[in-house]
Amino acid sequence: MKEFALKSEEKFHSHYLNIEKVNKRMTTRLFINNFVKYLFLASTMFGLIVLAFLIYTILRDGLGWINMDFLTNRLSTLPERAGIAGAVVGTLWLMFVVGPVTMVLGIGTAIYLEEYAKRGRFHSFIQTNITNLAGVPSIVFGLLGLTIFVRMFGFGPSIIAGGLTMSLLVLPIVVVASQEAIRSVPQFLREASYGMGATKWQTIRNIVLPASMAGILTGVILALSRAIGETAPLVAIGIPALIIPIPSSITDNFTVLPMQIYYWTIDSVLVDEYASMAAATIIVLLIVLFLMNSVAIIIRNKFKKRY
Amino acid sequence: MSSLSISTELPLKKETTEQVNKTVVYDTKNLNLWYGNNHALKNINLPMYKNEVTAIIGPSGCGKSTYIKTLNRMVELVQNVRISGEILYREKNIFDKEFRVEELRTRVGMVFQKPNPFPKTIFDNIAYGPRIHGIKDKKILKEIVEKSLRGAAIWEEVKDRLHENAYGLSGGQQQRLCIARCLAVEPDVILMDEPTSALDPKSTLKVEELIQELKENYSIIIVTHNMQQAARISDKTAFFLNGEVIEYDDTDIIFSTPSDKRTEDYITGRFG
Amino acid sequence: MGKTVSVKDLIRNKDKKNKLMLKAERTIPFILFALASISILTTVGIVSTLLYETFLFFREVSIIEFFTNTNMKPLSRVEPSFSILPLLTGTILISLVAMLVAIPIGLTTAIYLSEYASESVRKAVKPIIEVLAGIPTIVYGFFAFTFVTPILREFIPALQSTNALSPGIVMGIMIIPLVASLSEDAMNSVPKAMREGALALGATKLEVTLRVVIPAAISGIIASFVLGISRAIGETMIVTIASGSSKNFTFDITQSMQTMTAYIVEVTSGDAGAGTTAYYSLYAVAFALFIFTLLMNMFAGHISRKYREAY
Ligand SMILES: Nc1ncnc2c1ncn2[C@@H]1O[C@H](COP(=O)(O)OP(=O)(O)OP(=O)(O)O)[C@@H](O)[C@H]1O
Ligand SMILES: [Mg+2]
């Protein structure tokens, strides 16, 4: 691009900036700016490309293995007979525990913090505590579960032990989402309710909770999708690699999709097909996660239009 | 015949003498601007002269800010902006493909409604412009900083705290700092969008005095809501209404004998 | 006659209801308080179990040796020896690789999205990048082990089938969205007026970014890095799968290495029974892990709170 606008004959009151030099430098500056822009664009694309690659390799490896038998068969050491029915049922059981537990604990905590607790030391203590818990590595929660639920309470590596461990892990997600939802309920709705003589709890139950339910549910779904993708805490509480019967009660031993992926992946050095079976299981897990997130997004969008 | 010729000649003569003495810095020709479907500037034609203060007045939403931001093409940061017509800066169309915006903005400084110093020291704020233009020499930078701060009449107040954060200054000082920051790149024109509307009366007075001094060396275009201010400090005034220039003339004429009824209504406070 | 009775009944009923309501009104805060305490109990549970078992561990193993010895043989029957150093170097090296990927790419992505991209591009790209953050870590482990390692071995023949490099890179990819979205938030909170001030002086977008936006958002950006490092240190499955379980004290990232998290997995899923020294060592390692990540998260929270107060 050629210099266009200003020539040095047009003398202003420039003492320090030499217009010719400034213009020449500008050519370089603009070139660098443009170059860097494309560099940054490439960097942004890197994440997208890796994502595409990841999905592509998983589909390539796993798609061929997905059929009705794979979904409904029990675990087996023989690749052609093995299926993930046990892991699917185990994952459902896990959600069955984590969902209600985090909902009760999460909403309760959020209501307490937003509506009852006085702002002050204690309030910020709980709040800080929740923030810090959210950053604790999941494997540490696994050790907590191992020590408390598996050993101390004697639950063993059961659904209830795994479910409670997972609930504690994802609790901060539900609490924070519920707090935000409750906070976003306009004050005038509360005032209208109080104005009609309603008590505090009546107002919360009849006005605040219904109005914030969509936000809370979104949080719960996101927490659930985190929980069913987590592996480390379950490894720590000692979910076995053995072939176990499909669980039918909350105290049964169980396995979940990520555990199945884990064992098949590390054993893929022994049996080639295991890698493809792991990939096929990943596809199932990702589809479940995708569906759950879609539901969360739909709920959130509906919620947005409200006020 | 003769009486007619005399009556038309008088004002014409005045115009021409002015044009001989004064260089046109900016010349706007048939400028139209749309924000999406909102036709915000309609067929604007305005000249602006060197070493003069041109004031732009008009009710809220009439396109003053839009116009002044078009002069240094800052308006293009808004999405979906469409522009037609031309603006000649020193006889070159600023919308020309080969005209580099950065170059234009180096020559044309801008002062915003709300002071917007960078979260840096006072020194670094002023040195920002010279630095991006490649001046690294500490001694020269120091000279520029002092000269610019003096130029913006704030040197005495800040000379002992050049290395403190600019956010420690009062609003009025911050605004003069922003003017100094603008002077440091040695511009040709300074655009000001309601530079005093966020300031208290005392700071306003200081900035107004400063503008009077600055016009010795710079051409200034200022948007203002304050009629007295326009009358006090400007040489020419343009009255905008609904995206159109209703009237443009010497400030004295606009404020004493405006030719358009709407101008008169506005400056006498009947609306806006 | 019927009428008067029903009114009395109504009033009586209402009184009863009121009493019940009052009772509920009084007890509910306590119930909610109890629910809110669970999160505190969780922290107490974590800290106390870790502390207690760590204490038991250091009754058997010298704390100095644990931090200075480089010999880690927890399950050796002949002469078990405990040292956190090989795990620490493993953790640090893999996190370092991860951050070498995540910081430059995450930050430049943030810059591109917040400073260069148009609103529509940003709206389209951001959620896709965030998908990367939503993928379970086990999937990344699979990806590192079955895809990235074999490819890297084409270029680096000396690379072992489990190594520190591949999980490091993949972990970095996993952390990109975290760094990108937190840095972008920090940059977005820099007022637009500041950018305009710089642009109006003739600065290019790059100059505005480097000299105005980034300095103004620096604490938020650094917070995102620190949080990223904390994530890398605490990440378990990728390393468990792809970096192996070698406890050699080495700085060679082509070798198999064990991180603190992977060690915890190995011992818990192995057969070190409760009460053995190897079992207690688990808690000592977990305690170190907990402290590191906690300190980093608190540091990140502290500096990002600071920048929020800036304007
Ligand atoms: N970023 C934008 N996007 C879309 N429309 C805009 C934008 N900025 C201004 N407008 C519209 O353009 C018109 C002119 O606005 P402008 O800000 O130029 O007015 P103004 O004369 O400066 O008003 P004020 O005195 O209030 O500052 C208005 O109708 C406004 O709604
Ligand atoms: Mg305006």
Side-chain angles (χ1 to χ4, degrees):
Chain A
M1 195 182 275
K2 68 176 202 258
E3 274 112 55
F4 176 76
L6 301 160
K7 291 177 197 86
S8 47
E9 312 107 58
E10 296 181 29
K11 276 253 179 327
F12 308 120
H13 17 265
S14 304
H15 302 296
Y16 297 101
L17 296 180
N18 175 318
I19 288 181
E20 262 167 7
K21 265 193 192 161
V22 163
N23 280 349
K24 220 166 160 192
R25 230 182 92 81
M26 194 169 291
T27 311
T28 329
R29 285 167 52 211
L30 289 175
F31 176 78
I32 295 175
N33 177 58
N34 233 350
F35 175 76
V36 166
K37 176 181 161 179
Y38 287 109
L39 199 70
F40 289 177
L41 174 64
S43 164
T44 306
M45 295 308 290
F46 176 81
L48 306 189
I49 290 168
V50 170
L51 182 65
F53 238 110
L54 191 145
I55 289 172
Y56 165 75
T57 51
I58 285 164
L59 288 179
R60 185 196 61 193
D61 291 357
L63 216 48
W65 275 89
I66 294 191
N67 55 36
M68 220 42 212
D69 284 348
F70 184 72
L71 295 176
T72 55
N73 278 3
R74 306 240 213 122
L75 196 52
S76 160
T77 45
L78 295 175
E80 58 275 16
R81 297 236 320 253
I84 55 169
V88 170
V89 174
T91 295
L92 291 176
W93 269 106
L94 189 73
M95 289 166 79
F96 182 73
V97 176
V98 174
V101 171
T102 53
M103 226 160 137
V104 171
L105 290 181
I107 299 175
T109 306
I111 296 176
Y112 180 74
L113 287 176
E114 291 304 311
E115 304 282 334
Y116 284 97
K118 286 196 192 73
R119 309 278 137 161
R121 280 245 180 97
F122 186 65
H123 184 275
S124 66
F125 174 65
I126 300 187
Q127 196 74 66
T128 312
N129 181 56
I130 287 167
T131 316
N132 286 334
L133 273 184
V136 172
S138 58
I139 187 78
V140 173
F141 277 96
L143 273 190
L144 176 75
L146 175 70
T147 316
I148 306 285
F149 300 127
V150 176
R151 299 240 157 104
M152 201 196 265
F153 292 180
F155 290 156
S158 60
I159 292 169
I160 179 81
L164 291 179
T165 306
M166 252 351 156
S167 301
L168 295 183
L169 172 67
V170 299
L171 184 58
I173 302 176
V174 183
V175 174
V176 172
S178 307
Q179 277 185 287
E180 268 167 24
I182 290 172
R183 230 176 284 148
S184 73
V185 176
Q187 199 58 33
F188 68 82
L189 283 184
R190 289 188 183 83
E191 278 155 12
S193 169
Y194 287 133
M196 281 155 58
T199 62
K200 185 159 193 169
W201 176 245
Q202 282 173 328
T203 304
I204 293 171
R205 209 190 55 193
N206 299 326
I207 305 293
V208 178
L209 277 185
S212 52
M213 209 24 123
I216 293 174
L217 277 182
T218 313
V220 172
I221 294 173
L222 292 181
L224 275 180
S225 59
R226 168 88 195 277
I228 66 167
E230 269 290 342
T231 324
L234 296 180
V235 185
I237 68 168
I239 301 283
L242 306 172
I243 297 163
I244 46 169
I246 289 181
S248 57
S249 110
I250 203 161
T251 53
D252 284 351
N253 288 2
F254 74 121
T255 189
V256 291
L257 291 168
M259 291 298 294
Q260 204 55 63
I261 298 165
Y262 172 50
Y263 286 123
W264 272 333
T265 305
I266 52 177
D267 286 345
S268 65
V269 258
L270 309 173
V271 181
D272 281 346
E273 287 92 339
Y274 282 175
S276 308
M277 288 154 69
T281 316
I282 289 174
I283 296 174
V284 174
L285 179 62
L286 290 183
I287 288 174
V288 174
L289 290 177
F290 176 76
L291 291 178
M292 288 171 67
N293 279 288
S294 309
V295 172
I297 289 170
I298 291 169
I299 294 178
R300 192 190 294 161
N301 286 349
K302 244 185 165 170
F303 171 66
K304 254 188 197 159
K305 287 175 203 140
R306 289 281 285 282
Y307 309 108
Chain B
M1 177 78 200
S2 62
S3 69
L4 193 79
S5 77
I6 288 167
S7 68
T8 52
E9 202 156 24
L10 262 170
L12 255 182
K13 204 174 177 187
K14 198 180 155 217
E15 283 274 328
T16 43
T17 50
E18 243 173 40
Q19 256 151 10
V20 167
N21 296 339
K22 282 176 180 160
T23 327
V24 179
V25 184
Y26 261 119
D27 204 358
T28 303
K29 291 183 174 163
N30 300 323
L31 178 73
N32 283 281
L33 183 143
W34 294 263
Y35 289 113
N37 292 324
N38 179 5
H39 197 172
L41 294 178
K42 295 166 194 155
N43 220 27
I44 309 276
N45 287 287
L46 272 183
M48 279 166 188
Y49 300 100
K50 192 168 149 69
N51 296 3
E52 277 193 359
V53 177
T54 306
I56 297 174
I57 58 169
S60 191
C62 66
K64 305 182 297 292
S65 297
T66 301
Y67 177 64
I68 201 169
K69 281 195 295 180
T70 311
L71 293 177
N72 68 347
R73 293 182 59 185
M74 290 291 280
V75 78
E76 290 167 29
L77 297 178
V78 180
Q79 299 218 326
N80 297 324
V81 164
R82 215 152 35 83
I83 300 170
S84 77
E86 16 181 70
I87 295 180
L88 302 180
Y89 167 66
R90 300 261 176 191
E91 289 160 14
K92 314 242 155 69
N93 184 5
I94 63 168
F95 299 120
D96 198 293
K97 261 205 196 108
E98 287 175 68
F99 201 109
R100 305 187 293 197
V101 215
E102 287 79 5
E103 204 174 325
L104 173 69
R105 291 178 189 157
T106 308
R107 308 312 316 158
V108 179
M110 184 162 203
V111 177
F112 297 80
Q113 180 168 355
K114 255 186 75 193
N116 58 351
F118 305 131
K120 298 169 180 283
T121 63
I122 294 170
F123 186 93
D124 287 340
N125 260 280
I126 310 296
Y128 182 90
R131 277 187 179 134
I132 61 174
H133 290 296
I135 295 180
K136 292 196 188 80
D137 189 324
K138 259 259 147 84
K139 221 185 101 222
I140 297 182
L141 281 176
K142 263 187 192 159
E143 277 178 41
I144 297 179
V145 168
E146 179 172 348
K147 182 179 159 239
S148 312
L149 287 170
R150 280 190 192 283
I154 189 184
W155 170 252
E156 290 302 325
E157 292 157 67
V158 301
K159 65 179 177 196
D160 298 323
R161 45 198 285 208
L162 290 178
H163 296 285
E164 284 172 31
N165 195 297
Y167 278 81
L169 298 174
S170 74
Q173 289 174 324
Q174 285 183 17
Q175 193 61 302
R176 277 177 289 144
L177 178 80
C178 290
I179 295 174
R181 183 174 73 185
C182 187
L183 299 184
V185 257
E186 303 179 327
D188 177 27
V189 182
I190 303 175
L191 310 173
M192 298 181 168
D193 191 355
E194 303 188 37
T196 60
S197 69
L199 306 183
D200 59 89
K202 228 175 114 192
S203 310
T204 301
L205 198 68
K206 277 222 161 114
V207 172
E208 280 185 16
E209 284 168 7
L210 176 60
I211 291 170
Q212 288 298 300
E213 284 170 31
L214 289 175
K215 86 173 193 187
E216 301 291 320
N217 292 317
Y218 308 89
S219 318
I220 294 171
I221 300 166
I222 180 172
V223 168
T224 178
H225 260 277
N226 182 330
M227 236 61 68
Q228 281 81 12
Q229 184 171 68
R232 271 196 302 269
I233 64 175
S234 70
D235 303 295
K236 293 267 186 340
T237 297
F239 171 58
F240 276 54
L241 186 63
N242 292 329
E244 285 177 272
V245 180
I246 301 301
E247 194 167 351
Y248 168 73
D249 214 324
D250 285 351
T251 299
D252 300 341
I253 296 177
I254 291 271
F255 283 93
S256 56
T257 49
S259 54
D260 197 290
K261 177 84 171 56
R262 291 166 293 181
T263 315
E264 193 184 330
D265 285 350
Y266 181 69
I267 58 173
T268 51
R270 241 162 276 170
F271 71 87
Chain C
M1 191 182 105
K3 245 184 183 174
T4 48
V5 170
S6 81
V7 168
K8 261 186 190 167
D9 273 355
L10 273 176
I11 291 173
R12 201 174 300 138
N13 272 344
K14 215 183 164 202
D15 275 358
K16 244 191 203 162
K17 243 184 156 177
N18 271 344
K19 262 184 200 151
L20 248 161
M21 239 169 50
L22 265 169
K23 233 182 188 171
E25 207 62 42
R26 257 188 246 126
T27 46
I28 274 162
F30 291 100
I31 297 172
L32 293 175
F33 173 76
L35 294 176
S37 322
I38 297 285
S39 77
I40 293 175
L41 277 182
T42 308
T43 308
V44 171
I46 290 174
V47 173
S48 59
T49 50
L50 291 183
L51 261 179
Y52 178 65
E53 316 258 351
T54 304
F55 174 72
L56 292 179
F57 174 71
F58 283 125
R59 282 205 315 200
E60 289 173 34
V61 175
S62 142
I63 190 165
I64 295 168
E65 205 171 294
F66 188 61
F67 282 102
T68 54
N69 166 17
T70 56
N71 210 358
M72 180 66 160
K73 284 197 193 107
L75 298 172
S76 159
R77 273 168 214 262
V78 202
E79 200 189 349
S81 149
F82 294 92
S83 161
I84 200 172
L85 286 184
L87 305 181
L88 221 47
T89 49
T91 304
I92 290 170
L93 284 176
I94 293 177
S95 306
L96 199 73
V97 174
M99 295 326 284
L100 283 178
V101 173
I103 287 180
I105 296 181
L107 182 59
T108 49
T109 300
I111 293 174
Y112 185 77
L113 291 181
S114 110
E115 306 300 317
Y116 287 92
S118 68
E119 193 56 34
S120 51
V121 169
R122 194 172 132 191
K123 268 199 183 131
V125 171
K126 239 189 129 174
I128 303 180
I129 290 190
E130 248 137 49
V131 170
L132 278 174
I135 290 176
T137 59
I138 184 77
V139 178
Y140 283 108
F142 172 85
F143 187 62
F145 188 64
T146 65
F147 185 72
V148 176
T149 300
I151 286 183
L152 288 176
R153 287 179 87 179
E154 300 276 316
F155 300 99
I156 314 168
L159 198 69
Q160 296 187 350
S161 63
T162 54
N163 58 75
L165 184 60
S166 157
I169 293 173
V170 173
M171 200 189 277
I173 291 167
M174 180 189 84
I175 296 171
I176 289 172
L178 183 131
V179 172
S181 79
L182 291 181
S183 297
E184 205 213 328
D185 287 350
M187 288 161 69
N188 272 335
S189 72
V190 175
K192 225 175 98 198
M194 262 175 219
R195 291 184 180 83
E196 288 178 349
L199 286 173
L201 288 171
T204 64
K205 273 196 171 168
L206 181 65
E207 288 155 352
V208 176
T209 307
L210 295 183
R211 298 190 192 203
V212 177
V213 179
I214 289 185
I218 194 68
S219 35
I221 292 171
I222 290 177
S224 83
F225 296 170
V226 176
L227 281 179
I229 298 171
S230 164
R231 268 290 284 287
I233 293 176
E235 172 43 40
T236 312
M237 292 324 287
I238 300 177
V239 283
T240 302
I241 292 175
S243 78
S245 57
S246 158
K247 295 169 190 63
N248 292 336
F249 183 69
T250 171
F251 293 95
D252 181 356
I253 55 170
T254 64
Q255 305 276 312
S256 164
M257 275 184 202
Q258 194 164 41
T259 64
M260 298 195 279
T261 51
Y263 176 73
I264 298 172
V265 167
E266 190 197 355
V267 178
T268 48
S269 55
D271 41 24
T276 62
T277 315
Y279 174 77
Y280 291 133
S281 72
L282 186 70
Y283 289 89
V285 172
F287 191 50
L289 178 68
F290 175 73
I291 295 292
F292 287 158
T293 50
L294 183 68
L295 288 180
M296 290 199 158
N297 293 342
M298 281 164 61
F299 176 62
H302 176 73
I303 48 182
S304 68
R305 226 169 297 126
K306 238 177 154 179
Y307 94 83
R308 250 176 239 130
E309 285 160 11
Y311 1 85

